Structures are given as structure tokens and as C-alpha cells.
Amino acid sequence: MGAKKWIAMLLAGGQGSRLGELTIGLAKPAVPFGGKYRIIDFPLSNCTHSGIDTVGVLTQYQPLILNDYVGNGKAWDLDLDVGGVSVLPPYQGKEGGEWYKGTANAVYQNIQYIDNYDPEHVLILSGDHIYKMDYSKMLDYHVEKNAEATIAVIQVPWQEASRFGIMNTNNDDKITQFDEKPKYPKSNLASMGVYLFNWKKLRQYLINDEKDADSSNDFGSNIIPKMLEDRKKLYAYRFNDYWKDVGTVESLWQAHMDLLEEKPNFQLDDQQWKIFARNANHPPQYISANAEVSQSLINEGCMIHGNIEHSVLSYNVQVGNGSTIKDSVIMPNVTIGENVHIERSIIASNCIIEDGAVVGNSAVTADITLIGENQTIINPNKKKITLN
Amino acid sequence: MESVLGIINLINEKQHLKELTAHRNVASVPFGGRYRLIDFTMSNFINADVSKVAVFPKEKYLSVMDHLGSGKEWNLDRRSGGLFILPPIHPDETVTGDMKQFYDHLSFFERAAADTVIISPGCHVSKLDFNEVLAYHKKHDADITVVYKDYVGEVIEKPIYHTCSVDSNEDISDISFYTIPRPGDHVCLETFVISKSLLVNLIKSCVASGEYDFLKDAVKANLHRFTVKGYNFTGDMPFIHSIESFHSSNMNFLKPSVIRSFFGDTWDVYTKIKHEAPTKYSRSSSVTNSLIANGCDIEGTVENSILFRGVKVKKGAIVRNSIIMQKGEIEEGAIVENTITDKEVKITKEKTVIGSEQPAVIKKAEVI
């Protein structure tokens, strides 16, 4: 097998427990986003547009839907004879097997897969962020800096910096220090979970890390700090475009609302950088004579008889007469009856909201209401319907 | 399972759709917001598990080749079987008939590992269950089964359909060419089931005696020699034979019951994937009774209309009773009524295009 310039390893095994009921039966990267996509479509489409033709997708938690979705990679033009997409779950070898203990261990367990391609560089990606990024520019930067590792960073608001892995750099953006979720951040350059390594270097670090019984086998907590300790050349690659961690119900909802701006910072309909997805096959959406739709994103397969205001509707959503959906995200195959009121909510796939039901709290201070998959919401007070 | 070869026969297409067929063949005419006419026949084949399909185009077939590609959207990108596009092999000669073109590709038929062949045109918007037709063909031990449908719809002025007479035994007793069907007349859907060996024999013998038309020279000429059965298709299918009927049968898809009958309960209709984002409605958009594909950006008013993928309707623009095909752009303040705009048409600011009962048709990529 000929050597590859670079390949990507996509960490898609996370449970995403902060997404609550959304990830009971689903790995976080498989969570629907933007009306027709799943979160993993964003890094996979980035790979395609950046000219990466080999992607290992590391899965672990609830892999069924994710594995099925990624398939042979054809939606992202990654169905190749040599390379393409490979789904890599934990496996048993001669000496037994184990679950992926951490992000670094997940890659360690797949050293053989990477060695097959003998790449010069390995790009490590996480499967839970919404962004469009040309990784090839990062590679150019990495090569130009003669770096041993390059970490993509984005400036986050100072008050949020303590939620992220924070880079402290010198004037040249050379990383001098890495603080994982620091209480008192010294900078607001947050790691985007996008790492580019020279494979030979990384390989050695992974092997050493595995021998260290005290390590949690994680890139952010172990590999990066160890490399810094060894005075390796690590550089921060600044990214100035839209990037959103959609790891919480609130941020997932907010990222959807961002799409509804008149000139959104993140455009799904960018013809130069299409987001590829496994397309479910549905007819065009039907907007009935009684419907009203404003400031919304609606996908194919929907039949709308009610009022949709400032919301995102995924495919095959049915909305009955007299219903109102406001400031909400409706995931695939949801059936909404008549005279339903939904506000500031996320309704997961396959839910049924019966006639007259009310979901969500309109108060801006209230939490976003989340209805998990396959739920049926009934109207507790069927005779009396008040909407206020 | 017996193996079936599917033939989509575009050789006998009739160019009744004027501007819409100026650059493309009939099978490639866009329909229903995101489809092309041929998608319905393709999907019918896939639904019947026919995994080897050959398309015989006659002319203007670039769009059909582009649309079908490797056949992957219909699961026809296979190592064995799959999709074959078999255009005329003598580009300088006029095509004399479907049998001649079949003859030019005779080895394709001879090599195909199939017992039975289904021949269908690429212009019928229907969900015809080929498995039922095959079962009917087998049950009656027919040599040829002809699919027909009783005519419904407005009065036609041009003699364009072939009609057949069916006797009480469900045998086809006669075929009349280029007739004007009245409601209830049996219109031949130019869809047939025939064994491969009989088809190959007929291709050879017809061409040897200078006869080139399958329906006329192979079917009608042999009505008394063979068992030729008539299968009556009673499902939904609009008769599309003019710009008006093209417009009205598209508009018929604005009825939820029609949407459901075509896209709901039974099999899917597949088409080429475009990776378009969901459609965006802005604060100022007002949309009612319309069928809208993905990738549209709507700021204006859309009523009783069908918008294909990637259409833009700017602020203050009005689209009524119209069909706007892929990537159409209706700019600020423009008004479009009773109109069909082909792909990539741009109606510039404040311009008005209003058709009558005969819808106005704007040619591909035209700027008004």
C-alpha cells in the first residue's frame, strides 16, 4: 500500500451525556443537526473538501446508527478502494481486548490501521463540533512551522474559557503551556479538538503513554502536556470562523437558532462547501393553504398545515392545522397533531405530539425543553386548550 | 427468482413539451419539485427488484446520462447487472425505429442473463407494480403482455396516443395508432412484458424484413399468432401530452392525497442527490399551498406553486400557479403567474410574466 501524505482519525465514540435523553440510544456524532444532517457530517465533509481521502472513524458508545449512517462513506465521496472511511470499533486481539479508555488510547489501539497507510501526518478530529474548516491550510501551516504537533484554536469569550482546553502561546503562536479547563485561564485560545501530528512522533508518544499506568490516555490531559514537557514544537493554528461545540442541550439549540439569522455566521447552503449527508429520500416539502412559515429552515418530506416561526424542521415532520412551533428544533419523523403549541424546545426523532398538547416554556430564562426519542406527548387537559 | 431485464425505451418519445424538450429528451423533463420523468420508471424497476436496466435514448440524451450517472441513486451501480445506457451507434444515420436500435445492440440482449424483458418508456408518472404485471403475464402464459390504461383527463386535440381493443378474454384484439382517445379508451402505455428469446427472435426477423417498430411490427402484426394479453393499469397516472397537461398534472401534486399516494405508503421514488441544504424561509416570506424542494431561499410570496431545488424568491416577489425549475431566481418585486420557468431562469427586478390558460414557458437559463 502506497504511503499517504495524511489521514484523519475521527473520535466518534463519545456518549455525550450532557445531551441527556438525546443520546440514550445514539452516539453524540449521530445526533441530527440542521434539519437534514448529523453532527458527524461536518468533520466528514471538511475532510472531503480538504482532500483527505482516508478517515478512520473510532466508535464505541451505541455504535449501531452511527455505523449504519457512515456506511461505506459514499455520501462523502469516501468510498475508495484504498483508504476511504473505515469504522473502527474496539476489538479483541490475541491478548484480549478492551474498551477505548481515552482519546489517545483509542488511536493507540488502531496503530496498525494507521501504519497500513504509512502517513506522514495524522489529523485527529472530534465528532461533535459544527464548523467548516479547510484542514489543508492547517497542514500547510504545520509544515511551514516545522511543527511536531499543531492544534487548532479559536478565541472564545473569556468568561467561557474555563470550559475548554486553553493554549498559552508566545508571540509566534508556539504553544508554551496547555491548561485543561483552567479555573483562571491565562488566555482565551481554546482547543477545537483538532490536532495534527507527525505520525512517527505521535506513534512513539502513544506507545509510551500506554505504558504509563497513571495516564488517563487522553490527548488533552496526557499526550499534549507530555509533548510540551519534552519541549516539542507545538503550534497553535488560529481559526477565525464559526465553530460551535454542541455538547449541551442549550448549545445544540443555540447553534440551530444561529442558522436562522438573516445573514448567519454559519451557512448550510454554501455552494462552495456543501455539507454532505446520507440523504433520506423524501418528496419536496408541502406547505398547505392554512400554513404560515417564517424565518425557518424546513427539510424535504415535511407536510406543514400549521404555523412555523423561527424553527428548524428535519425531514418527514408532519404539523397539523392550528399548531404553532416557535423557537424550536424538530428532529426527523416527528408527528405533530392539531392545535399543538411548541416553544423553545428540541423534539427528538419519532416523537408524536398529540392534538392540543403544549410543550416548552416561553420564558427566555427557562431551560430548553427536550423531548427524547420515540415519546408520545398527550394533552393532559383535552377539553380545555389554552395557549398563553 | 426469474431474472428480468428492464428496458427504458426512449426511442419513440414524442416531443410535445415544446421549450421543455428543446435541449433534453422527454424522460429528462423535470417534474414534481425534485424529480425527472424517468425517475418514476427507474424507481418502478428498482421496486420490482429488476437489477439490470438498459436505457435506449435516441437524441438529446446528455441530460439523461448526467442525471442517471452510474445509477447509484437507484442502487444500480453493481458489478453484475446495473445500469446501461445504449445510445444509437451510428450517429449519422436517422434512427428508423426502436427495433433497429435494439438490433444494433443485439449482443447486449443475447448476453444478458435474463429470461424475461420488461420494456417501458421513460415518461409515465406512475407507480406501476411490475411484479404484478409479471405475475399476470405468467398466469396467462402470455407471449406478450401489453399494459394499458383507460384514458382520463381533458379532451386531446392532437392524435398522439395509440389505443388498443381488448376482448372479453383480456386478449388484445387490435391496436390503433395515433388516435384521439375519449375518456375510458384503452391507451397503450407502450409498456410490455416479453420473454427474452421471443424478443431476440422478433428483433432479428423484423429487421431482416425491413420492419423497425416494436409495437407495429412485432406486436400488432402478430396479434393472431401470439397470445397477447392486456394488463389494465388502474393506479394513478396523469396523461402528460402538452404544456397545459404538464402544468396541471404538476399542480395536482399540491393535493396532500396525491402527495401521499405517490410518496407515502408504498415504495420510494428515487432521484439524483444534490446535497442541498433545507429550504430557508425568511421573516418576510409568505408561502401557501406549495410544494418546495430543498435548497430554496424564500423571502417573497409563493402561492399554489412548485419550486424545484435551489430556487430563490426575493423580497416582494410573487410567484403564483407556477412551476419554477432548478436554480430559478425571481428578483425583488417581480411577478410570475401561470408560468413554467425552465432551469436557471432569472426574472429580474419588477418584471412581470403572466401566462394565460396556456401557461407561459420561459426557456432554460433565460433572463427576463
Side-chain angles (χ1 to χ4, degrees), chain A residues 34-37 74-77 79 259-264 268-269 271 274-300 303 305 310 313 318, chain B residues 32-35 72-73 75 77 253-257 259-260 263 268-271 273-297 299 307 309 315 327:
Chain A
K36 72 173 275 193
Y37 310 96
K74 104 176 159 178
W76 306 271
D77 268 346
D79 51 335
L259 299 172
L260 300 174
E261 293 299 309
E262 190 151 352
K263 293 220 159 40
L268 291 172
D269 61 348
Q271 296 295 314
K274 283 194 176 189
I275 310 301
F276 303 116
R278 279 283 287 274
N279 279 255
N281 190 50
H282 292 288
Q285 55 200 267
Y286 173 68
I287 312 293
S288 88
N290 305 329
E292 271 180 46
V293 182
S294 72
Q295 218 188 354
S296 293
L297 274 175
I298 301 188
N299 196 10
E300 286 168 334
M303 286 189 104
H305 297 274
H310 198 250
L313 270 58
Q318 318 287 316
Chain B
R34 69 193 285 271
Y35 305 96
K72 74 175 178 180
E73 275 90 0
N75 287 325
D77 54 336
F253 273 71
L254 295 178
K255 293 180 187 147
S257 61
I259 299 174
R260 284 199 192 94
F263 305 116
D268 284 343
V269 180
Y270 297 96
T271 189
I273 288 170
K274 302 274 189 188
H275 291 284
E276 293 286 358
T279 277
K280 193 168 184 198
Y281 296 82
S282 80
R283 275 198 190 91
S284 53
S285 67
S286 165
V287 179
T288 49
N289 195 38
S290 294
L291 202 55
I292 310 231
N294 268 4
C296 293
D297 198 340
E299 297 171 348
L307 268 50
R309 292 186 273 202
K315 266 187 194 133
K327 295 207 153 75

Side-chain angles (χ1 to χ4, degrees), chain A residues 366-382:
Chain A
D367 285 343
I368 300 304
T369 304
L370 171 66
I371 308 292
E373 285 189 327
N374 307 312
Q375 307 287 309
T376 299
I377 305 297
I378 55 164
N379 171 16
N381 194 359
K382 271 204 167 142

Side-chain angles (χ1 to χ4, degrees), chain B residues 167-231:
Chain B
D167 68 19
S168 56
N169 211 15
E170 296 178 23
D171 284 314
I172 300 284
S173 56
D174 196 12
I175 294 168
S176 314
F177 294 99
Y178 297 102
T179 59
I180 296 177
R182 290 155 305 171
D185 282 357
H186 308 319
V187 173
C188 172
L189 297 187
E190 298 177 60
T191 300
F192 314 95
V193 180
I194 184 171
S195 74
K196 192 186 86 173
S197 55
L198 178 58
L199 177 63
V200 167
N201 286 340
L202 285 169
I203 294 170
K204 286 181 185 164
S205 61
C206 282
V207 170
S209 49
E211 299 164 340
Y212 300 117
D213 189 83
F214 180 76
L215 184 62
K216 179 165 160 264
D217 304 317
V219 182
K220 182 171 177 173
N222 288 309
L223 283 178
H224 302 292
R225 218 173 110 211
F226 296 142
T227 308
V228 181
K229 287 285 173 187
Y231 175 93

Side-chain angles (χ1 to χ4, degrees), chain A residues 189-221:
Chain A
L189 286 181
S191 165
M192 294 166 58
V194 176
Y195 310 112
L196 187 57
F197 293 99
N198 290 36
W199 172 232
K200 288 201 175 74
K201 282 269 154 47
L202 176 63
R203 195 178 188 282
Q204 199 50 52
Y205 273 91
L206 292 173
I207 291 167
N208 293 342
D209 178 67
E210 189 62 18
K211 288 180 191 149
D212 178 359
D214 297 330
S215 173
S216 52
N217 309 112
D218 186 79
F219 279 104
S221 310

